[in-house]
Amino acid sequence: MIQDQPCWQKACSRLSDNHSAERWKLILTGAACIAGVLTGPLLAAGLTAQFDGPCRINLSGRQRMLIQRTGKFVCLAYMTPRSHSLITAADEALALYQRTEAGLINGDEELALGAEINTLAINALKQARQAFKPYGEVIREVVDRRSADPEHMEKIAQLNDPALVAMDAAVKVIERIYNSPELSERFAMLINIAGRQRMFTQRMILQLCLYLSVQRTAQMKQEILRTINRFEVSQNILQRVTPVVIPDPTNRPLLSSFGEIQYRWGTLRDSILKATESRSRQSAEDMLALDSKAEDLLKNINNTVMLYEDAGE
């Protein structure tokens, strides 16, 4: 490891090239440097100082979004006859997930990760890998066949939550190990909540797609409503706590960004709620239009996460 340029600096400097394009790429990379620009070197549970802690926290957090994203693309491919690009997108998201999965344990120079040295983190990541394995196999089978069938959809519905829960547990272990006393607890909370909002944009489209295609049940509808509620509660927390934690005038761009997010979210939320009505019949084109709205919201949220990063510099 280059001592005068630790992991979080290398990754952030790499992402700063071609600034606007790379910022959009962070939608998939999960803003791997957000915490890094704030913290620098961290101690791993009393072990040797490991300089990639911030990148490790955010890359592990990104995995939750990629779990939802891979399933979302496969489900949309199942609903539409023009599925080639969607299956390709699922393939790319799966490849990124699996590369990060390996990198979090063994290290990956391009991801700016060293090999994990903490036993608790390694064990949690291995448990997440085992939970994801059957889910990933379903995605891989769809990609290899270039088509999805009802059995694939049933398996995605069954295996998605266990994979997500296990990965979330691993993220919490990693956050606990690499948390820094230099990073305000409330500031860290804002960064984590803002980043988690991106995952919800993918999850609600996946849930709606499953609801309309294979699981039109009251339970699935409640799951959709629960995700909508979690998004709104989280956004309310961001709006209330940000001006308290981040002083004026630094907080002004963040506060301004909430208006656009709220507008796009209101449009998406209303469309999702309408689609869950008992007499609603959504075509493949309708679902792709909904996903387009979710992607637009995702861009706005990602820009807001970047503003949180800038506020911490």
Side-chain angles (χ1 to χ4, degrees):
M1 180 177 293
I2 302 173
Q3 294 300 319
D4 62 349
Q5 192 181 38
C7 163
W8 58 274
Q9 289 179 341
K10 289 192 295 181
C12 289
S13 63
R14 181 182 299 122
L15 290 169
S16 67
D17 298 333
N18 192 10
H19 188 69
S20 61
E22 294 299 340
R23 281 194 167 223
W24 168 233
K25 287 181 183 178
L26 286 173
I27 289 175
L28 286 181
T29 62
C33 306
I34 291 172
V37 296
L38 305 177
T39 60
L42 301 177
L43 289 177
L47 300 176
T48 304
Q50 189 156 325
F51 290 92
D52 60 357
C55 294
R56 193 171 294 279
I57 292 169
N58 286 279
L59 284 172
S60 62
R62 175 189 71 181
Q63 296 289 78
R64 295 173 296 192
M65 184 185 77
L66 290 174
I67 292 170
Q68 305 307 295
R69 196 169 179 83
T70 53
K72 179 195 79 170
F73 284 133
V74 167
C75 189
L76 290 174
Y78 172 72
M79 289 191 71
T80 178
R82 303 198 316 270
S83 61
H84 177 78
S85 62
L86 293 164
I87 291 176
T88 298
D91 188 18
E92 292 171 351
L94 177 63
L96 183 57
Y97 181 95
Q98 292 176 328
R99 177 175 181 175
T100 306
E101 181 182 70
L104 285 166
I105 297 177
N106 303 318
D108 187 306
E109 184 177 355
E110 287 299 314
L111 292 177
L113 287 171
E116 179 57 73
I117 61 175
N118 187 278
T119 302
L120 291 175
I122 292 171
N123 289 340
L125 287 166
K126 286 183 176 179
Q127 290 174 10
R129 182 171 62 190
Q130 285 300 113
F132 180 80
K133 183 179 178 181
Y135 183 80
E137 287 173 351
V138 176
I139 305 298
R140 171 53 54 196
E141 184 173 302
V142 171
V143 169
D144 290 345
R145 293 185 178 183
R146 309 305 294 180
S147 65
D149 58 36
E151 184 178 355
H152 292 130
M153 295 302 97
E154 293 289 350
K155 288 181 178 178
I156 286 174
Q158 294 168 7
L159 299 171
N160 175 267
D161 280 359
L164 182 61
V165 168
M167 192 64 238
D168 187 57
V171 173
K172 291 177 181 177
V173 170
I174 291 169
E175 288 177 342
R176 185 168 67 248
I177 291 169
Y178 291 99
N179 192 26
S180 168
E182 289 86 5
L183 182 63
S184 159
E185 182 178 350
R186 288 190 295 176
F187 207 130
M189 178 195 71
L190 291 174
I191 294 170
N192 289 332
I193 291 176
R196 189 179 62 188
Q197 293 292 74
R198 291 177 293 192
M199 183 273 287
F200 286 141
T201 69
Q202 304 302 288
R203 183 167 175 78
M204 63 184 69
I205 296 299
L206 169 58
Q207 290 175 324
L208 178 62
C209 184
L210 290 171
Y211 175 75
L212 294 174
S213 60
V214 295
Q215 282 196 330
R216 203 173 185 114
T217 65
Q219 180 180 354
M220 179 56 77
K221 182 175 180 178
Q222 286 303 310
E223 289 297 322
I224 296 169
L225 297 178
R226 185 174 294 112
T227 300
I228 288 174
N229 182 65
R230 292 185 68 187
F231 183 97
E232 293 190 326
V233 168
S234 297
Q235 198 61 34
N236 286 336
I237 292 172
L238 291 173
Q239 293 178 192
R240 287 188 293 105
V241 178
T242 295
V244 176
V245 175
I246 304 175
D248 185 78
T250 306
N251 64 26
R252 291 180 186 176
L254 280 161
L255 300 181
S256 297
S257 74
F258 294 150
E260 183 68 19
I261 288 175
Q262 198 62 40
Y263 170 76
R264 290 192 183 279
W265 165 240
T267 302
L268 177 62
R269 178 197 58 215
D270 292 347
S271 297
I272 291 174
L273 291 174
K274 183 177 180 180
T276 62
E277 294 175 359
S278 59
R279 296 182 180 180
S280 174
R281 292 293 180 267
Q282 299 290 307
S283 67
E285 292 300 322
D286 292 333
M287 275 303 301
L288 292 175
L290 270 173
D291 185 52
S292 180
K293 291 180 181 180
E295 291 293 291
D296 287 340
L297 177 61
L298 185 60
K299 292 179 184 179
N300 283 116
I301 294 172
N302 189 69
N303 289 337
T304 298
V305 174
M306 295 301 97
L307 290 173
Y308 279 109
E309 176 185 349
D310 293 341
E313 291 180 343

